[in-house]
Amino acid sequence: MSYSIPPPPAQPPTVHRRGIGRRLAALPRPVLISAVAFVALAAGGVTGYLLMGDGIAEGTTVRGVDIGGLSAEEARAKLEAELGDLGTAPLRVVIGDDGSDEAGEPEIHELDPAEAGLSLDFEATVAAAGNPSLLDRILGRGGSEIELVVHQDEEAGRTALTGLAADSDRTVREGAITFTEGEPEVTTPRAGVALDVEDSLGRLREGYPAAPPADGADPADAEPAADPVPLPVTRAEPLTGEAEIEEALRAWAEPAVAGPVLLTAGDATLTISPTLIGDHLTLSADDTGALLPEFDAAALSADERLDDQLAAAETEPVEAELRLDGGQVVAASPGSNGSTVDRDAIGPAVEPLLYAEGEAARTGTVATEEVEPVITPANYRDLGIVEEMSSFTVEFEPAPYRITNIGRAAELINGSAVAPGEEWSFNRTVGERTEENGFVEGIIILDDQYTNAQGGGVSAVATTMFNAMFFAGVKPVEYGAHSFYIERYPEGREATVAWGHLDLRFLNDSGHTIYILASATDSSVTITFLGTKRYDEVRSETGPRTNVKEPGSREGAAGDACVPQPPLEGFDVEVTRIFVDDGTEAGRETYRTTYVPRDEVLCEGGD
C-alpha cells in the first residue's frame, strides 16, 4: 500500500495597512494645520459652553451698558441700576409738527412716563439678548447692541393724552376787529388744532425713553432728546385772510370811529364818542370769512356813561304844590310837564350814521317825550290826598348852622310824593350833607360825644319826620335813635341819620299816595303828611326809664376841636304806638330804645 501525503494548504497573501497617523502624515501640511486648529477650537467651545451655561454673549450692550458674559439675573440687575433713571425722565412732546405757539416759540409739554403708561421692561430686554449657540461660540460669534423693550399701557396713555388735549387743543379762530379806546384792534386768524390721541400713542412709544447718552457718558446722566416728540394733530384752517381784514378796516372799522356821532334831543345835543361807539361795535367773520360789522344798539342805549348827558338834556316835571286851607287840601300851583330823551332810541339813531363822513353827515336826532307830574290839580284827590294824616313840630335853639341846615333839609323834603307800596328815604331825598348841596358845618354826635361836622342839626329834621311817620301810622323800615338822649326830643321817639351808615326810611302802606309838607323857621321845623288816614287816631304811650346809668366826666380834645358837653344819665325806655279805629284799639307796636350816659366833657378854659 502506498500513501500520498497531501501538500500543505495555501497561505493568504500578506496585506500591509497604514495607521491614522500615517494617513494624517500623508495629508498636505496646510490642511493638517487647519484640521488641528478646528479640533482644538471645537474642544474649547464645548468646554466653554459647558462652563458658561446660560451666560449672555460677550459684547452684548443695551444703551451703552455692557451685559456680555452675565447671567440673565445679573444683566437685569445691572440694567435697572444703570438705566432705571432713564425710564423715569419726563418725556418732552410738542403738539403738531411745528409745535409752536402764536408767537412762533416752541411750546413744549412734559409727560410723566408712568402716568402715560410707559415703562422699561428690563426682563424682556435681557430675554431678547438670548444666549449664543454652541456653533456661535465655536465660530467666535459675539453679542451686539440691542434695543430696550418698552411696555405701554394704552389705556393709561389715552388718559394722559386726553388731559394734554384738554389743555392744548384750540378751536379755529377767525379774524375779527374790536376797539379799544375808539381805536381798531385786529385779532389775527388762527388754525384750529386737535390732538390725535390714537395716533399719538405710537409716537409716545417710539420716543420713549429719552435719547441715549453720548459715547463714554454715564447712561444715568442721559439728557432728554434735543428734539421733542411731535404728536400728530388734526387741523382746521380759518376762512378769514389778510385781504378780508384790510377790506373790513377800510370799509367799516375806521369810518365808524373817525369821529363822534351827534344827536340833537330838543334843545340839547348828545355826543356819542368814538370810544362809546367802539365799545359796542365788533366785526366778525361770516360763513365765507368776510368780516361784517355787528353793532349792539341796545347796549349803547343802556350805557351808563350817557347818564350825565341825559340828565343835562332832560327836565324834571314840576309837581303841583299842595297845601292845607282850613283843614282842606288844595292845589297851590299847577305844576308843569318835564321832558326826557327816549333812551331806547339812542342806539338805533346812531347806527345809520356810523359810516358817514364829516360832522354834518354824522349828525341826527333822537326823540324826546313829555313827562307829566305825578300830582296835578286834576288828579290829587283821585290819588287819595284828601286830608291831613299827621303833623309834628320840633323846636330848637337858634344857631346859624341849625337855621341853614334844617332849612335846607326841609326844602329838599317838601313836596315829596310817595306812591302806595313805595319806600321813602331821608338820605335819598336830602342827599349827602355837603357844601355843594347847601349844608354847612355844625355840631353832631360822634362816638358818644359832640363834635363838629358838615350838616350838624339835621337830626332835628329826622326826628320830626320820624314822629310824622309815627303818627301817620305807616310802617318804619329803617331808623336809629341818638346814642345818648337829647332833651328837646321826645324820649324813645326820635331819630338821627348818617350818610352812608344810617338812613330813615318808611313804607307807604296806607293804600293811597302820601304828599309831604316840610317847612322851617329860625327855631322850629314842621312836617305834615297829607293823604288818607288809615286809622282814626294813632296814640303814643311812653314807659318809665329803666336800667338808669350815671354819666362820667372827662377832658375833651385840645383846642377848637373840643365841644363842651353837659352830663346826662343813660337809660332804657319803651314807647308804644297804639292804633285806634271807631274808638276801639285796633293794634299796638312797642319801640325799645337804649341811651348810653352822656358824659360830662370839659374843655380847657371852660367853666
Side-chain angles (χ1 to χ4, degrees), residues 117-144:
L118 295 168
S119 60
L120 298 178
D121 193 335
F122 294 115
E123 186 172 348
T125 301
V126 171
N131 300 318
S133 66
L134 176 59
L135 179 60
D136 288 336
R137 293 187 185 276
I138 290 174
L139 296 178
R141 295 173 183 170
S144 61

Side-chain angles (χ1 to χ4, degrees), residues 49-65:
Y49 187 81
L50 294 174
L51 291 175
M52 292 296 296
D54 60 352
I56 295 172
E58 294 291 344
T60 302
T61 60
V62 179
R63 290 289 178 109
V65 178

Side-chain angles (χ1 to χ4, degrees), residues 495-525:
T496 186
V497 288
W499 181 260
H501 300 285
L502 178 62
D503 199 1
L504 172 61
R505 295 183 293 135
F506 70 84
L507 173 69
N508 178 9
D509 57 351
S510 70
H512 300 86
T513 297
I514 293 175
Y515 185 87
I516 302 174
L517 297 174
S519 61
T521 69
D522 289 353
S523 59
S524 68
V525 55

Side-chain angles (χ1 to χ4, degrees), residues 375 412-418 424 429 465 513-517:
I375 297 173
L412 293 168
I413 292 171
N414 187 51
S416 294
V418 190
W424 182 89
T429 303
M465 174 62 72
T513 297
I514 293 175
Y515 185 87
I516 302 174
L517 297 174

Side-chain angles (χ1 to χ4, degrees), residues 22 59 80 113 171 354 420:
R22 289 182 179 182
E80 285 183 351
T171 58
L354 285 177

Side-chain angles (χ1 to χ4, degrees), residues 485-551:
Y485 178 56
I486 300 175
E487 294 90 323
R488 63 177 173 270
Y489 300 148
E491 58 188 63
R493 221 177 58 226
E494 46 90 11
T496 186
V497 288
W499 181 260
H501 300 285
L502 178 62
D503 199 1
L504 172 61
R505 295 183 293 135
F506 70 84
L507 173 69
N508 178 9
D509 57 351
S510 70
H512 300 86
T513 297
I514 293 175
Y515 185 87
I516 302 174
L517 297 174
S519 61
T521 69
D522 289 353
S523 59
S524 68
V525 55
T526 301
I527 293 179
T528 302
F529 279 28
L530 305 181
T532 299
K533 288 184 177 182
R534 187 174 178 184
Y535 303 98
D536 292 343
E537 183 184 5
V538 177
R539 300 173 183 166
S540 176
E541 289 184 357
T542 302
R545 297 181 179 184
T546 60
N547 195 25
V548 176
K549 296 180 180 178
E550 294 302 318

Side-chain angles (χ1 to χ4, degrees), residues 164-425:
L164 180 61
D167 293 334
S168 60
D169 284 3
R170 66 190 186 202
T171 58
V172 64
R173 184 179 67 197
E174 297 294 345
I177 299 175
T178 55
F179 299 83
T180 300
E181 299 295 330
E183 294 294 329
E185 288 193 352
V186 174
T187 299
T188 56
R190 182 189 65 189
V193 175
L195 180 64
D196 188 331
V197 172
E198 289 302 318
D199 284 353
S200 292
L201 287 171
R203 295 282 187 95
L204 288 183
R205 187 171 57 252
E206 294 167 5
Y208 173 78
D215 291 342
D218 184 346
D221 294 334
E223 294 294 332
D227 295 326
V229 178
L231 300 182
V233 296
T234 57
R235 298 175 65 89
E237 298 297 332
L239 298 174
T240 309
E242 291 185 8
E244 286 82 2
I245 292 175
E246 290 298 325
E247 175 61 19
L249 283 170
R250 183 195 64 78
W252 307 109
E254 292 171 350
V257 292
V261 169
L262 305 177
L263 297 179
T264 58
D267 296 331
T269 299
L270 304 179
T271 300
I272 314 301
S273 68
T275 296
L276 273 173
I277 293 169
D279 287 350
H280 301 291
L281 176 65
T282 57
L283 284 89
S284 304
D286 66 5
D287 293 341
T288 68
L291 293 180
L292 298 177
E294 297 178 10
F295 180 65
D296 193 338
L300 174 64
S301 297
D303 197 308
E304 62 183 15
R305 287 172 290 182
L306 292 172
D307 290 352
D308 289 344
Q309 290 194 67
L310 290 173
E314 296 173 345
T315 58
E316 293 290 334
V318 177
E319 304 292 338
E321 291 185 12
L322 305 180
R323 62 183 177 84
L324 284 171
D325 184 8
Q328 298 294 314
V329 178
V330 297
S333 69
S336 61
N337 291 342
S339 67
T340 185
V341 177
D342 183 358
R343 187 157 194 158
D344 292 339
I346 294 175
V350 168
E351 188 164 11
L353 307 176
L354 285 177
Y355 312 109
E357 296 182 6
E359 181 177 322
R362 294 174 71 85
T363 300
T365 60
V366 63
T368 59
E369 299 174 347
E370 280 198 345
V371 180
E372 294 184 353
V374 174
I375 297 173
T376 67
N379 73 357
Y380 72 89
R381 291 184 182 85
D382 295 335
L383 296 175
I385 308 174
V386 295
E387 61 184 336
E388 177 183 308
M389 299 175 68
S390 65
S391 187
F392 198 82
T393 298
V394 166
E395 295 184 351
F396 55 85
E397 184 178 346
Y401 78 88
R402 289 196 182 105
I403 294 170
T404 297
N405 293 338
I406 292 173
R408 176 59 175 157
E411 178 187 5
L412 293 168
I413 292 171
N414 187 51
S416 294
V418 190
E422 287 186 352
E423 283 187 8
W424 182 89
S425 160

Side-chain angles (χ1 to χ4, degrees), residues 57 154 165-166 221 252 331 364 416 431 435 439 471 476 485 575:
E154 291 193 353
D221 294 334
W252 307 109
S416 294
E435 184 177 351
F439 293 90
F471 289 106
Y485 178 56
V575 173

